[in-house]
Amino acid sequence: MKKLINDPSTVVRDMLEGIVALSPETILLEDENVVIRSGLPVAEKRKVAVLSGGGSGHEPAHAGYVGAGMLTVAVAGDVFTSPSTDAVLAGIRAAAGPAGALVIVKNYTGDRLNFGLAAELARAEGIPVEIVVVADDVALKDTVPLDRRRGIAGTVLVHKLAGAAAEKGLPLQEVARIARHAAGRLSSMGISLGSCTLPSVGKPGFVLGEVEIEVGLGIHGEQGVQRMPIASADTLVKLVIETIEADGKLAGGDRVALLVNGLGSTPPMELAIVARSAVAQLEAKGIVVERAWAGTFLSALDMPGFSLSVMQVDDAALGLIDAPTDAGAWPRGGAVNHARVLPSAKAEKAVIAANRRTAAGDRLRSAAERAAKALIAAEPRLTQLDSVAGDGDLGASMIRGGEAILALPKESFGDVSDGLMAMANAMRKAIGGSSGPFYATGLMRASRQLAGIDQPTAQQMAEAFAAAVVAVTELGGAKPGDRTMIDALHPAAETFRDKLAAGASAEEAWRSAVAAGLAGAGATASMKPRLGRASYLGERAVGHPDGGAVAVGIWLEAIGGA
């Protein structure tokens, strides 16, 4: 287990002290793990206090939602364990005045017992208390009765509505009614790609196969209602939405708020992909997505996966959702963009010479296709090399570039200059990062070098190759010995030109050029990198050849393979 903690026994307190240190709107009870909104007025002037909480490990819930306009109190238990009755009662006593307190409970036995008993004790002391139980997990619709479903991430939306209603000064019964109404219109479901690790346990709660996922799991590391093979984000979102539909809380014409929630270790990139799919699929069903957010709102420690929460809304609910709050973890905004794509202002004109064809252009096309296919076939090797000293995307980039070359129409290769320019444009558009600009720049420089020449000689091709290498060098600043693609390009171009000048045939000169390029690529294994991401590794990169230089060697060999 690798976790940034001090001691498993102090994890919760250490975490809460860190949260409060960065949140001036909160304060921590000295003798209980209870976070309270700071600066509350004297008891007689307090509005309805809104409390929630549960086991820790769900951050930013619940302490992240303490602040004006949301929670007044968050009560934290040990990881995935309900807080004690005394802790909940301490929170009620510290925050509630004559206006009373609303306690929002996720539907787990421990939480219901401890929060419920604390509420009863508070009532006995004369503090009015109402309880709202959230049971939004639709994955359990065929497993347990409605009132036995779990409370999961959608609870955060109930926090927001109840907190806004309390901040408006509404009486306890009305705040409770609004919260119950919201909970009754709320549906959530989660999907996990893996388990989580409790600090006190030190190992995952369950183990999934390489391509397995858990469907319909809760928020405490427990397994789901079924296990299935991994599928695309669109497919998984469809499964969740159709389950919510089947539960009867979602239909065309509904207005909804959507919460796309990460379970702890799901990157923003993947959550955005899920959000894209969820919004599109809901809209396709005639459902109006009034508000939507994507992020980690109620997690399960370090679990990879997501949940979707959908709540039916009306104008009154939207007013409460949009009401201001200074709770640090509430995401604000939520407006959905309904004009998401801007058409291109100007389509780039393809470089195609109509009714013009040269033998040299045909030869270039054949050579380009061989090079493209060789790079595509080499993807595993290039990915592995780039993973050692880069970001691991070289193989995928070469596939995209190769496929872009193969997709060019034969008319693009009317002559060598046109073909090189078409390839430059294709590579520029297909490949991001550094490879795309480097290859596009070199190909463009070579194209200009050969403009107006129908049948370039070997010497002219050699000069164009050398010019292309100079262009790449100028763009990136690399020199031979810096452990980059230049270490393969430069010796290949120089050897080709020198051998031709010495009287060698084009075929012989090219074989020598390929050998020089391959030798240059191999030599990078002993070089300390001085440019690019590999330079950050220093000596750790030594022992493996540079992926970009190896890619050059691959296409050099393929060009001469006819």
Side-chain angles (χ1 to χ4, degrees):
M1 180 181 71
K2 294 180 180 178
K3 289 188 178 291
L4 296 173
I5 63 175
N6 297 311
D7 184 324
S9 66
T10 64
V11 161
V12 173
R13 190 67 183 187
D14 290 351
M15 171 194 70
L16 294 178
E17 289 176 359
I19 290 172
V20 171
L22 304 179
S23 306
E25 66 275 7
T26 64
I27 193 167
L28 183 61
L29 279 187
E30 182 179 16
D31 55 353
E32 295 285 357
N33 288 333
V34 177
V35 177
I36 303 173
R37 176 182 163 189
S38 60
L40 290 174
V42 295
E44 291 72 18
K45 294 184 179 181
R46 291 176 188 172
K47 301 172 183 177
V48 171
V50 181
L51 292 85
S52 191
S56 296
H58 303 305
E59 292 70 38
H62 300 81
Y65 301 115
V66 173
M70 211 160 173
L71 295 182
T72 318
V73 175
V75 188
D78 289 335
V79 176
F80 293 170
T81 303
S82 171
S84 69
T85 298
D86 286 350
V88 178
L89 181 59
I92 295 173
R93 287 171 172 165
L102 174 70
V103 177
I104 300 172
V105 183
K106 296 185 298 301
N107 198 24
Y108 292 92
T109 301
D111 288 350
R112 292 190 66 155
L113 291 176
N114 285 290
F115 280 86
L117 177 55
E120 196 61 34
L121 290 168
R123 293 184 189 115
E125 295 179 6
I127 303 172
V129 180
E130 289 284 337
I131 295 179
V132 172
V133 177
V134 181
D136 54 327
D137 188 0
V138 299
L140 300 178
K141 68 182 184 66
D142 299 323
T143 307
V144 298
L146 182 63
D147 64 351
R148 290 289 176 248
R149 296 181 183 181
R150 296 173 293 213
I152 54 176
T155 308
V156 175
L157 293 172
V158 180
H159 291 164
K160 181 64 180 70
L161 270 74
E167 191 65 22
K168 288 176 64 176
L170 299 178
L172 177 59
Q173 294 298 324
E174 180 62 10
V175 175
R177 184 198 68 77
I178 289 170
R180 290 192 183 102
H181 185 61
R185 304 173 82 184
L186 177 64
S187 302
S188 300
M189 180 172 165
I191 290 180
S192 170
L193 311 185
S195 185
C196 59
T197 300
L198 276 68
S200 60
V201 176
K203 61 181 180 179
F206 58 85
V207 178
L208 288 172
E210 189 67 26
V211 296
E212 289 182 317
I213 61 174
E214 288 282 349
V215 177
L217 75 165
I219 54 173
H220 296 108
E222 68 270 46
Q223 299 181 46
V225 297
Q226 66 168 309
R227 190 169 287 191
M228 63 175 277
I230 183 67
S232 68
D234 287 349
T235 300
L236 297 179
V237 168
K238 183 172 185 285
L239 172 61
V240 173
I241 290 177
E242 287 181 347
T243 303
I244 294 174
E245 269 188 310
D247 196 44
K249 291 185 181 179
L250 196 60
D254 284 350
R255 303 165 67 195
V256 302
L258 168 68
L259 198 70
V260 179
N261 176 58
L263 297 179
S265 68
T266 310
M269 173 188 287
E270 295 175 27
L271 292 177
I273 291 170
V274 171
R276 160 198 172 273
S277 183
V279 170
Q281 291 192 41
L282 290 169
E283 290 178 341
K285 294 177 180 294
I287 295 164
V288 180
V289 183
E290 296 279 7
R291 301 289 184 274
W293 305 267
T296 300
F297 304 108
L298 194 149
S299 64
L301 288 172
D302 55 351
M303 181 177 285
F306 74 95
S307 64
L308 297 183
S309 298
V310 180
M311 186 175 71
Q312 296 169 321
V313 296
D314 52 22
D315 287 345
L318 287 175
L320 296 172
I321 287 173
D322 293 341
T325 176
D326 60 11
W330 177 251
R332 279 70 171 174
V336 176
N337 184 7
H338 297 291
R340 297 193 277 270
V341 179
L342 177 67
S344 297
K346 180 180 179 182
E348 186 169 311
K349 189 175 181 180
V351 179
I352 295 178
N355 301 319
R356 184 167 183 269
R357 193 152 174 195
T358 64
D362 288 341
R363 288 194 297 272
L364 174 63
R365 178 168 172 254
S366 296
E369 289 180 349
R370 292 194 300 274
K373 291 175 181 177
L375 287 171
I376 291 171
E379 182 274 329
R381 181 186 178 197
L382 296 176
T383 296
Q384 189 275 330
L385 285 174
D386 197 41
S387 297
V388 171
D391 53 9
D393 69 344
L394 179 62
S397 293
M398 292 299 98
I399 283 182
R400 290 194 298 272
E403 290 174 344
I405 296 300
L406 294 175
L408 288 171
K410 63 180 182 296
E411 291 82 7
S412 297
F413 294 86
D415 63 20
V416 173
S417 178
D418 286 348
L420 291 170
M421 186 60 71
M423 291 166 62
N425 289 331
M427 296 290 274
R428 170 173 59 86
K429 294 175 182 178
I431 307 176
S434 57
S435 297
F438 283 142
Y439 277 106
T441 298
L443 289 164
M444 289 174 65
R445 184 72 61 88
S447 172
R448 291 203 304 275
Q449 184 86 10
L450 297 171
I453 304 173
D454 285 349
Q455 299 293 334
T457 65
Q459 288 78 10
Q460 288 171 323
M461 292 293 289
E463 291 299 329
F465 188 9
V469 176
V470 170
V472 174
T473 301
E474 291 173 348
L475 180 64
K479 303 180 296 296
D482 284 346
R483 197 182 187 276
T484 70
M485 64 193 301
I486 294 299
D487 289 298
L489 284 171
H490 184 268
E494 290 294 304
T495 299
F496 188 40
R497 184 166 57 184
D498 291 348
K499 288 290 183 180
L500 288 172
S505 68
E507 292 77 12
E508 181 184 353
W510 186 253
R511 283 195 299 270
S512 297
V514 171
L518 292 173
T524 61
S526 62
M527 296 177 185
K528 181 178 177 180
R530 292 199 283 264
L531 283 177
R533 283 191 176 92
S535 64
Y536 309 150
L537 298 177
E539 296 290 348
R540 293 179 64 187
V542 175
H544 304 274
D546 177 70
V550 170
V552 170
I554 289 168
W555 59 256
L556 285 173
E557 277 194 298
I559 286 174

